[in-house]
Amino acid sequence: DTAVSQTPKYLVTQMGNDKSIKCEQNLGHDTMYWYKQDSKKFLKIMFSYNNKELIINETVPNRFSPKSPDKAHLNLHINSLELGDSAVYFCASSQEFQPIGAGVKAEQYFGPGTRLTVT
Amino acid sequence: AQKVTQAQTEISVVEKEDVTLDCVYETRDTTYYLFWYKQPPSGELVFLIRRNSFDEQNEISGRYSWNFQKSTSSFNFTITASQVVDSAVYFCALSESLTNDYKLSFGAGTTVTVRA
């Protein structure tokens, strides 16, 4: 059983289109994330959700909108795609200790990634 | 400012050689966590280890070992007797308590190539 799954694995689309990437985790975790990995392999946090509540929005353009319908899902919708959006997008999840700021951080488990190519 | 520095961009070794990956971090937090992840050519990110700032014991897991030194803000990773399957990009990451947001700040990664 895949712990963190993403669909699709590959996404090729044209500039200006709108697309979505779905993420599901079956680990029972309460926190989910989206990361972007650029062509130089640099990984950067985009969003995190804890119990469906947005915790991090790391200066990501408004064209990116995450949606968490429940604790097990965190989808990423991208409007008006641009060339610079081409990257690999990783979903991740973790089981964090409460309350927030308690100072204990759990390891994050990553999905297989979605390679987005904008032409 | 970069919070995690992995100065080695690429390392190439011959099988059975040992290889050490450097990781230097920067934080004002007294409570923080350090991680190593492996990204093989297939692309997924695999969790290797988590270490908190209060535990400076070195750790060994099979051919992998980690050396955490708070005095130099370093969390280095050694692969002993490397194998071709160790070829991957290795990322060091930091998670801080002050930010209260659970995010991982990643280093730029070190690409390890093990030649047969």
Side-chain angles (χ1 to χ4, degrees), chain A residues 8-73:
Chain A
K9 189 166 174 60
Y10 299 97
L11 186 51
V12 181
T13 188
Q14 292 184 328
M15 281 175 56
N17 285 348
D18 302 339
K19 290 294 178 186
S20 291
I21 306 172
K22 295 186 176 181
C23 177
E24 177 181 2
Q25 54 95 3
N26 62 8
L27 297 167
H29 289 167
D30 62 0
T31 307
M32 295 185 72
Y33 313 79
W34 278 107
Y35 287 86
K36 179 180 180 181
Q37 186 173 44
D38 63 23
S39 58
K40 295 184 178 177
K41 297 280 189 181
F42 188 67
L43 274 158
K44 193 172 188 324
I45 183 76
M46 297 174 69
F47 301 102
S48 79
Y49 271 74
N50 177 264
N51 282 313
K52 302 196 301 173
E53 180 188 343
L54 180 65
I55 302 297
I56 300 174
N57 181 343
E58 197 77 0
T59 60
V60 178
N62 290 340
R63 299 182 295 103
F64 290 80
S65 53
K67 283 191 172 49
S68 181
D70 55 57
K71 277 172 49 172
H73 297 85

Side-chain angles (χ1 to χ4, degrees), chain B residues 38-41 84-90 110-113:
Chain B
K38 173 183 179 180
Q39 187 175 37
V84 172
V85 292
D86 296 326
S87 296
V89 182
Y90 291 87
T110 298
T111 299
V112 173
T113 303

Side-chain angles (χ1 to χ4, degrees), chain B residues 12-94:
Chain B
S12 182
V13 296
V14 177
E15 235 181 349
K16 297 184 184 170
E17 285 185 359
D18 297 348
V19 56
T20 295
L21 284 60
D22 298 335
C23 173
V24 174
Y25 60 91
E26 183 181 330
T27 180
R28 292 177 297 164
D29 232 333
T30 54
T31 302
Y32 52 89
Y33 285 76
L34 295 161
F35 302 80
W36 277 94
Y37 282 83
K38 173 183 179 180
Q39 187 175 37
S42 51
E44 73 274 22
L45 280 155
V46 179
F47 165 74
L48 295 178
I49 189 170
R50 178 185 73 156
R51 173 67 75 221
N52 75 51
S53 52
F54 298 111
D55 183 0
E56 283 196 76
Q57 273 194 323
N58 291 332
E59 178 148 344
I60 298 175
S61 176
R63 296 183 297 105
Y64 294 170
S65 62
W66 290 269
N67 182 0
F68 177 28
Q69 293 200 344
K70 285 178 73 171
S71 60
T72 55
S73 297
S74 66
F75 186 42
N76 296 338
F77 172 32
T78 297
I79 304 172
T80 303
S82 61
Q83 300 176 0
V84 172
V85 292
D86 296 326
S87 296
V89 182
Y90 291 87
F91 293 96
C92 182
L94 167 71

